Amino acid sequence: MVRSQCCDKVGLKKGPWTPEEDQKLLAYVEEHGHGSWRALPAKAGLQRCGKSCRLRWTNYLRPDIKRGKFSLQEEQTIIQLHALLGNRWSVIATHLPKRTDNEIKNYWNTHLKKRLDKMGIDPVTHKPKADSFGSGSGHSKGAAHLSHMAQWESARLEAEARLVRESKVIIPNPPPNRIGSTASAQVSDKSSAAPPARPQCLDVLKAWQGVVFSMLSAGISDSLESPTSTLNFSENESAIPLIGVQKNSATTLAFATNNAPCNGGTTAIEFNSGNQFECFEKLNEAAQVKQNLDSSLALHDISPDASNHNAWFDSATNENAPMGIVEGLSEILVCTSQDHNAFFAGENINDSCGGNLEENGNYWNSLLNLVDASPTGTSSVF
DNA sequence: AATAGTGCCAACCGCCGGGTT
DNA sequence: GAACCCGGCGGTTGGCACTAT
């Protein structure tokens, strides 16, 4: 099948965008929405192909884009998600609020890949170059489990990413417009010295790490279970709660009754009639989230044994309980949350957890050493 | 000061999958 | 089911900025 190349038409401009072109595109999209990208250039008075307009919008002009240096937490997220997902930048981007897949891809290729390489870690496999994780006979079973876990966790993350994308529709959070920004003004926002708030999406990593960690510490139990993870709907922690959904086909969602533990003025969604609630400040947000979750519950049955997964919820707004998710994986975890903290703080936790953690935990310790050494950050999120 | 080398990133390219006709 | 449209994705590249020699 021969496809017409949208940018092959004579007279269409390529290359860097001018401030005037940015202005035209921005003004048009803000007033009309992008609609059909193919039809947009003519309507907006641009001598560009629709694809070029779309890329310019999604990668630069879109108002909800954060530019500038990647934070320590973002680096950790990228590395860890890349270990799980590979080069699926769009999926990774859904877990990094306000970052584009293109930006993440560039950052990986120009920074993180090289750093891992220098550390002697294969940036593709995330294994030590000289050694292969789990290559020893004693680890083969664990490696198989890890691989199995990674496969379904990868698929689930991707499914969650779709859900996040859908849910973004209801999160109007437009920062100031970029009107007036120019192609030549593509400089990093170095004024944002203060570290950003901890993205909730990192909790999915904690959940995952908790599983991996417990597997290592428990000698890879046969009764391995899979974690659910959190969905990141917004960077605004106070407005949009962390949501855990039971990965059980019988999961039901309903708007909660008056006994929901939500503050006045908020609306609760009840999960499974099990006294598990999430509170929303706006009714329409709750309704939309419920709708999205209703239509997406099937996503959560992709684990090897969905019926064995326990529901868990994290009190995400409780910043004093950063390990809540991991603790929620009660049947999976062997070590205490303190052990986990120690592990992700790079401490030797063999004493408290037993097992062969030191060897298997080298990679994550290395990652932490990597980011600890980074001048961009001073503390670990874990 | 001039040149070469390197890093970085916006933008392009080609492919793919979903939806529509 | 085939043909086509369209948007999205990941890989790659061109060119600017910066650094080293």
Side-chain angles (χ1 to χ4, degrees), chain A residues 267-281:
Chain A
T267 301
I269 295 178
E270 180 179 5
F271 294 82
N272 256 6
S273 300
N275 294 325
Q276 293 164 335
F277 301 93
E278 291 299 337
C279 305
F280 294 80
E281 290 188 357

PDB file of all heavy atoms in Angstrom, chain A residues 267-281:
ATOM      1  N   THR A 267     -16.105  14.052  47.008  1.00  0.00           N
ATOM      2  CA  THR A 267     -16.929  12.932  46.570  1.00  0.00           C
ATOM      3  C   THR A 267     -16.098  11.669  46.601  1.00  0.00           C
ATOM      4  O   THR A 267     -14.955  11.655  46.176  1.00  0.00           O
ATOM      5  CB  THR A 267     -17.439  13.171  45.141  1.00  0.00           C
ATOM      6  OG1 THR A 267     -18.187  14.381  45.139  1.00  0.00           O
ATOM      7  CG2 THR A 267     -18.311  12.022  44.683  1.00  0.00           C
ATOM      8  N   ALA A 268     -16.703  10.632  47.109  1.00  0.00           N
ATOM      9  CA  ALA A 268     -15.949   9.393  47.252  1.00  0.00           C
ATOM     10  C   ALA A 268     -16.383   8.371  46.224  1.00  0.00           C
ATOM     11  O   ALA A 268     -17.544   8.297  45.847  1.00  0.00           O
ATOM     12  CB  ALA A 268     -16.132   8.810  48.645  1.00  0.00           C
ATOM     13  N   ILE A 269     -15.405   7.604  45.769  1.00  0.00           N
ATOM     14  CA  ILE A 269     -15.705   6.405  44.982  1.00  0.00           C
ATOM     15  C   ILE A 269     -15.398   5.214  45.870  1.00  0.00           C
ATOM     16  O   ILE A 269     -14.326   5.116  46.461  1.00  0.00           O
ATOM     17  CB  ILE A 269     -14.862   6.335  43.699  1.00  0.00           C
ATOM     18  CG1 ILE A 269     -15.242   7.480  42.779  1.00  0.00           C
ATOM     19  CG2 ILE A 269     -15.059   5.015  42.986  1.00  0.00           C
ATOM     20  CD1 ILE A 269     -14.417   7.517  41.510  1.00  0.00           C
ATOM     21  N   GLU A 270     -16.320   4.336  45.948  1.00  0.00           N
ATOM     22  CA  GLU A 270     -16.149   3.143  46.776  1.00  0.00           C
ATOM     23  C   GLU A 270     -15.746   1.983  45.883  1.00  0.00           C
ATOM     24  O   GLU A 270     -16.322   1.759  44.826  1.00  0.00           O
ATOM     25  CB  GLU A 270     -17.444   2.808  47.497  1.00  0.00           C
ATOM     26  CG  GLU A 270     -17.338   1.582  48.388  1.00  0.00           C
ATOM     27  CD  GLU A 270     -18.650   1.310  49.113  1.00  0.00           C
ATOM     28  OE1 GLU A 270     -19.611   2.023  48.828  1.00  0.00           O
ATOM     29  OE2 GLU A 270     -18.692   0.417  49.947  1.00  0.00           O
ATOM     30  N   PHE A 271     -14.776   1.239  46.325  1.00  0.00           N
ATOM     31  CA  PHE A 271     -14.300   0.089  45.577  1.00  0.00           C
ATOM     32  C   PHE A 271     -14.770  -1.193  46.259  1.00  0.00           C
ATOM     33  O   PHE A 271     -14.498  -1.413  47.434  1.00  0.00           O
ATOM     34  CB  PHE A 271     -12.767   0.092  45.509  1.00  0.00           C
ATOM     35  CG  PHE A 271     -12.224   1.242  44.730  1.00  0.00           C
ATOM     36  CD1 PHE A 271     -12.080   2.488  45.327  1.00  0.00           C
ATOM     37  CD2 PHE A 271     -11.874   1.103  43.407  1.00  0.00           C
ATOM     38  CE1 PHE A 271     -11.569   3.549  44.611  1.00  0.00           C
ATOM     39  CE2 PHE A 271     -11.362   2.163  42.700  1.00  0.00           C
ATOM     40  CZ  PHE A 271     -11.211   3.388  43.299  1.00  0.00           C
ATOM     41  N   ASN A 272     -15.456  -2.007  45.500  1.00  0.00           N
ATOM     42  CA  ASN A 272     -15.803  -3.345  45.971  1.00  0.00           C
ATOM     43  C   ASN A 272     -16.645  -3.374  47.216  1.00  0.00           C
ATOM     44  O   ASN A 272     -16.681  -4.376  47.914  1.00  0.00           O
ATOM     45  CB  ASN A 272     -14.512  -4.136  46.253  1.00  0.00           C
ATOM     46  CG  ASN A 272     -14.255  -5.124  45.137  1.00  0.00           C
ATOM     47  OD1 ASN A 272     -14.965  -5.117  44.139  1.00  0.00           O
ATOM     48  ND2 ASN A 272     -13.265  -5.953  45.300  1.00  0.00           N
ATOM     49  N   SER A 273     -17.284  -2.304  47.527  1.00  0.00           N
ATOM     50  CA  SER A 273     -18.079  -2.248  48.747  1.00  0.00           C
ATOM     51  C   SER A 273     -17.260  -2.699  49.948  1.00  0.00           C
ATOM     52  O   SER A 273     -17.791  -3.268  50.888  1.00  0.00           O
ATOM     53  CB  SER A 273     -19.328  -3.116  48.614  1.00  0.00           C
ATOM     54  OG  SER A 273     -20.098  -2.662  47.541  1.00  0.00           O
ATOM     55  N   GLY A 274     -16.006  -2.457  49.877  1.00  0.00           N
ATOM     56  CA  GLY A 274     -15.137  -2.966  50.928  1.00  0.00           C
ATOM     57  C   GLY A 274     -14.598  -1.882  51.821  1.00  0.00           C
ATOM     58  O   GLY A 274     -13.510  -1.993  52.356  1.00  0.00           O
ATOM     59  N   ASN A 275     -15.321  -0.842  51.994  1.00  0.00           N
ATOM     60  CA  ASN A 275     -14.872   0.264  52.818  1.00  0.00           C
ATOM     61  C   ASN A 275     -13.561   0.829  52.315  1.00  0.00           C
ATOM     62  O   ASN A 275     -12.740   1.311  53.078  1.00  0.00           O
ATOM     63  CB  ASN A 275     -14.708  -0.165  54.278  1.00  0.00           C
ATOM     64  CG  ASN A 275     -16.037  -0.525  54.880  1.00  0.00           C
ATOM     65  OD1 ASN A 275     -17.059   0.086  54.560  1.00  0.00           O
ATOM     66  ND2 ASN A 275     -16.052  -1.538  55.722  1.00  0.00           N
ATOM     67  N   GLN A 276     -13.370   0.741  51.025  1.00  0.00           N
ATOM     68  CA  GLN A 276     -12.173   1.313  50.437  1.00  0.00           C
ATOM     69  C   GLN A 276     -12.612   2.475  49.578  1.00  0.00           C
ATOM     70  O   GLN A 276     -13.365   2.324  48.625  1.00  0.00           O
ATOM     71  CB  GLN A 276     -11.455   0.256  49.594  1.00  0.00           C
ATOM     72  CG  GLN A 276     -10.916  -0.844  50.471  1.00  0.00           C
ATOM     73  CD  GLN A 276     -10.551  -2.063  49.654  1.00  0.00           C
ATOM     74  OE1 GLN A 276     -11.098  -2.274  48.579  1.00  0.00           O
ATOM     75  NE2 GLN A 276      -9.627  -2.842  50.156  1.00  0.00           N
ATOM     76  N   PHE A 277     -12.120   3.630  49.910  1.00  0.00           N
ATOM     77  CA  PHE A 277     -12.622   4.830  49.266  1.00  0.00           C
ATOM     78  C   PHE A 277     -11.484   5.674  48.724  1.00  0.00           C
ATOM     79  O   PHE A 277     -10.372   5.627  49.198  1.00  0.00           O
ATOM     80  CB  PHE A 277     -13.402   5.678  50.281  1.00  0.00           C
ATOM     81  CG  PHE A 277     -14.560   4.962  50.890  1.00  0.00           C
ATOM     82  CD1 PHE A 277     -14.410   4.282  52.087  1.00  0.00           C
ATOM     83  CD2 PHE A 277     -15.777   4.948  50.265  1.00  0.00           C
ATOM     84  CE1 PHE A 277     -15.473   3.616  52.656  1.00  0.00           C
ATOM     85  CE2 PHE A 277     -16.839   4.284  50.825  1.00  0.00           C
ATOM     86  CZ  PHE A 277     -16.695   3.615  52.023  1.00  0.00           C
ATOM     87  N   GLU A 278     -11.830   6.402  47.719  1.00  0.00           N
ATOM     88  CA  GLU A 278     -10.971   7.490  47.304  1.00  0.00           C
ATOM     89  C   GLU A 278     -11.831   8.729  47.200  1.00  0.00           C
ATOM     90  O   GLU A 278     -12.986   8.674  46.764  1.00  0.00           O
ATOM     91  CB  GLU A 278     -10.314   7.201  45.964  1.00  0.00           C
ATOM     92  CG  GLU A 278      -9.287   6.081  46.039  1.00  0.00           C
ATOM     93  CD  GLU A 278      -8.142   6.391  46.983  1.00  0.00           C
ATOM     94  OE1 GLU A 278      -7.893   7.585  47.229  1.00  0.00           O
ATOM     95  OE2 GLU A 278      -7.514   5.452  47.482  1.00  0.00           O
ATOM     96  N   CYS A 279     -11.270   9.829  47.597  1.00  0.00           N
ATOM     97  CA  CYS A 279     -12.035  11.060  47.685  1.00  0.00           C
ATOM     98  C   CYS A 279     -11.633  12.027  46.572  1.00  0.00           C
ATOM     99  O   CYS A 279     -10.465  12.198  46.271  1.00  0.00           O
ATOM    100  CB  CYS A 279     -11.806  11.724  49.038  1.00  0.00           C
ATOM    101  SG  CYS A 279     -12.177  10.611  50.410  1.00  0.00           S
ATOM    102  N   PHE A 280     -12.598  12.647  46.006  1.00  0.00           N
ATOM    103  CA  PHE A 280     -12.362  13.612  44.940  1.00  0.00           C
ATOM    104  C   PHE A 280     -13.006  14.933  45.322  1.00  0.00           C
ATOM    105  O   PHE A 280     -14.105  14.961  45.858  1.00  0.00           O
ATOM    106  CB  PHE A 280     -12.935  13.113  43.611  1.00  0.00           C
ATOM    107  CG  PHE A 280     -12.237  11.917  43.093  1.00  0.00           C
ATOM    108  CD1 PHE A 280     -12.535  10.659  43.602  1.00  0.00           C
ATOM    109  CD2 PHE A 280     -11.248  12.031  42.140  1.00  0.00           C
ATOM    110  CE1 PHE A 280     -11.868   9.542  43.125  1.00  0.00           C
ATOM    111  CE2 PHE A 280     -10.589  10.914  41.667  1.00  0.00           C
ATOM    112  CZ  PHE A 280     -10.888   9.665  42.158  1.00  0.00           C
ATOM    113  N   GLU A 281     -12.310  15.981  44.988  1.00  0.00           N
ATOM    114  CA  GLU A 281     -12.828  17.287  45.351  1.00  0.00           C
ATOM    115  C   GLU A 281     -13.983  17.715  44.460  1.00  0.00           C
ATOM    116  O   GLU A 281     -14.825  18.488  44.858  1.00  0.00           O
ATOM    117  CB  GLU A 281     -11.712  18.324  45.294  1.00  0.00           C
ATOM    118  CG  GLU A 281     -10.704  18.130  46.414  1.00  0.00           C
ATOM    119  CD  GLU A 281      -9.718  19.268  46.448  1.00  0.00           C
ATOM    120  OE1 GLU A 281      -9.789  20.145  45.580  1.00  0.00           O
ATOM    121  OE2 GLU A 281      -8.894  19.273  47.349  1.00  0.00           O
TER     122      GLU A 281
END
